[in-house]
Amino acid sequence: EEKQPGKPLQKGTEIIRDVKMRYRSGMILQVLAVENQSYIDYGMPVRCMGYDAAEYSRQLKERKQERRLLGRHKEESEEELKTTMDEKLSGILRSDRLHPVYTICLYSGEEPWDGPRKLSDMMEFDPEESVRSLFKDYPLTLFCINEQKGFEEFHSGLKQLFRAMNCRKDKEKMSELMKNEAYAHLSKETWEAIAVMTDNAAMLQKKDLYKTINGEEEEYNMCQALEELLEERESMGEKRGRREGRNEGRNEGNLEKTKIVVRNLLRMGFSVDDICKAAECAPALVEEMQQCFRGGEKKSKY
């Protein structure tokens, strides 16, 4: 098994996948690659097609190198090797086979995927073009977590991970999640994956507070952690609301004091510029008070 985590990069001619695994199905070696997307990449079909092509090119290069090495160590003549001219020019034998590559794009973002799902979605075709039928499409194997209605087909920690990601912004769904007994017995890996994929650094840092030992295995109670986290956020929200209310009241009080100063300076005959400097206010406020002041004079004279 080979895993290469991290953002997909290209270093020279080497492409680094998010996750790449090699596994055997019977005697056949398979290659499974996963590209994790937190945002919508509108060039994803081309990107994944490039990754797959690079993997097949790498395998082909290995086959050619193997054939060259075997040719150097063989004592038999070329006639005895029974290699055809086409095979010699190709660098591989007619019987050589590559390992199939399966690339999955795992979209974990919150916005609905409105990007292309196959290569043809990115093409601009001429409707009258006769060669349209010759175009070979490349479908994107896309798994959008936010499009899933159920996760019963998963039989590992992925079920808890995907379900948590699917309701991370929904308070009601998250409350229902806390009642699920499975989240009271999570593995360390699943706990950490949920914390990272839901962007919950606090839960990641405090995981040891919710750890229990069940036989020889460690378990983590996310139900308790989520409940305490929601309570903490509600408490912080109430404190923020009270603080903002006090600041708003304080600002209103300061504005009333400034208006009194401006009104007194207007009565004393100061100019707008001088009042702005003395009261440290904008000309618009002085002009507003000036209109009110004049209106009050007219009413008193009348």
Side-chain angles (χ1 to χ4, degrees):
E1 178 178 321
E2 176 186 349
K3 294 186 179 181
Q4 298 176 340
K7 184 179 179 181
L9 298 172
Q10 184 166 347
K11 184 178 180 182
T13 57
E14 179 187 5
I15 291 180
I16 302 176
R17 311 293 297 264
D18 281 352
V19 177
K20 185 173 74 173
M21 295 178 288
R22 293 189 179 96
Y23 69 98
R24 288 193 177 275
S25 176
M27 296 299 293
I28 306 300
L29 185 66
Q30 317 275 351
V31 179
L32 173 64
V34 179
E35 296 303 323
N36 182 35
Q37 279 299 116
S38 58
Y39 67 94
I40 301 171
D41 187 342
Y42 293 101
M44 203 66 199
V46 172
R47 181 172 148 194
C48 287
M49 184 173 63
Y51 292 155
D52 291 350
E55 172 62 23
Y56 289 129
S57 295
R58 185 194 64 78
Q59 292 185 34
L60 190 60
K61 183 178 180 181
E62 284 185 354
R63 293 290 185 281
K64 291 181 178 181
Q65 289 176 342
E66 290 172 2
R67 292 301 167 195
R68 281 199 297 268
L69 289 174
L70 286 174
R72 290 174 185 172
H73 291 86
K74 287 283 185 180
E75 296 180 357
E76 296 87 350
S77 64
E78 290 188 8
E79 291 182 359
E80 292 174 333
L81 286 173
K82 297 181 180 179
T83 303
T84 66
M85 181 58 67
D86 292 331
E87 288 175 322
K88 185 176 181 181
L89 292 173
S90 299
I92 61 172
L93 301 181
R94 179 172 174 271
S95 58
D96 283 338
R97 294 293 180 267
L98 303 180
H99 306 307
V101 181
Y102 304 93
T103 297
I104 299 172
C105 176
L106 177 63
Y107 175 60
S108 58
E110 298 173 26
E111 297 297 324
W113 181 278
D114 61 354
R117 293 176 182 257
K118 55 185 181 296
L119 185 62
S120 58
D121 291 341
M122 300 179 62
M123 299 295 111
E124 184 177 8
F125 293 107
D126 184 346
E128 299 180 0
E129 200 171 88
S130 59
V131 295
R132 169 70 174 85
S133 60
L134 299 178
F135 178 81
K136 300 303 179 184
D137 212 347
Y138 178 89
L140 182 64
T141 306
L142 179 67
F143 184 86
C144 299
I145 295 175
N146 59 357
E147 292 180 357
Q148 302 305 306
K149 302 301 181 183
F151 300 94
E152 297 307 316
E153 65 269 26
F154 297 99
H155 303 284
S156 65
L158 285 175
K159 179 190 292 186
Q160 286 75 41
L161 171 61
F162 289 164
R163 185 175 288 167
M165 292 175 65
N166 205 27
C167 63
R168 56 193 151 181
K169 294 296 181 181
D170 192 318
K171 189 176 179 180
E172 292 183 3
K173 286 185 178 180
M174 189 62 75
S175 298
E176 288 296 320
L177 205 68
M178 290 188 293
K179 301 174 185 177
N180 192 316
E181 184 65 19
Y183 286 87
H185 307 281
L186 296 178
S187 67
K188 179 181 178 182
E189 292 77 13
T190 304
W191 172 287
E192 292 177 345
I194 292 176
V196 171
M197 297 304 289
T198 58
D199 195 22
N200 199 326
M203 195 167 68
L204 188 63
Q205 294 170 356
K206 297 179 180 179
K207 69 176 184 293
D208 289 339
L209 297 176
Y210 307 99
K211 180 174 69 173
T212 56
I213 303 298
N214 185 4
E216 297 181 355
E217 296 183 358
E218 294 180 351
E219 291 184 345
Y220 294 81
N221 190 336
M222 185 162 284
C223 298
Q224 181 185 354
L226 288 173
E227 186 175 358
E228 293 179 4
L229 185 66
L230 288 175
E231 290 176 357
E232 184 179 341
R233 287 181 176 177
E234 288 177 358
S235 176
M236 290 176 63
E238 291 175 1
K239 290 179 180 179
R240 189 183 302 111
R242 289 196 295 268
R243 186 168 59 251
E244 290 174 355
R246 287 196 298 268
N247 291 339
E248 186 177 345
R250 196 177 297 118
N251 292 336
E252 289 179 357
N254 293 336
L255 180 59
E256 288 302 317
K257 291 178 181 178
T258 302
K259 287 182 176 180
I260 293 172
V261 173
V262 171
R263 185 166 57 246
N264 291 336
L265 292 174
L266 284 170
R267 286 173 178 167
M268 296 170 65
F270 281 87
S271 67
V272 174
D273 290 340
D274 290 338
I275 293 174
C276 289
K277 292 177 182 178
E280 296 182 349
C281 65
L285 178 62
V286 179
E287 292 171 1
E288 179 187 343
M289 295 301 299
Q290 206 170 33
Q291 291 176 2
C292 295
F293 183 69
R294 288 170 181 168
E297 279 188 333
K298 288 179 181 179
K299 288 180 181 180
S300 63
K301 288 179 181 179
Y302 180 75

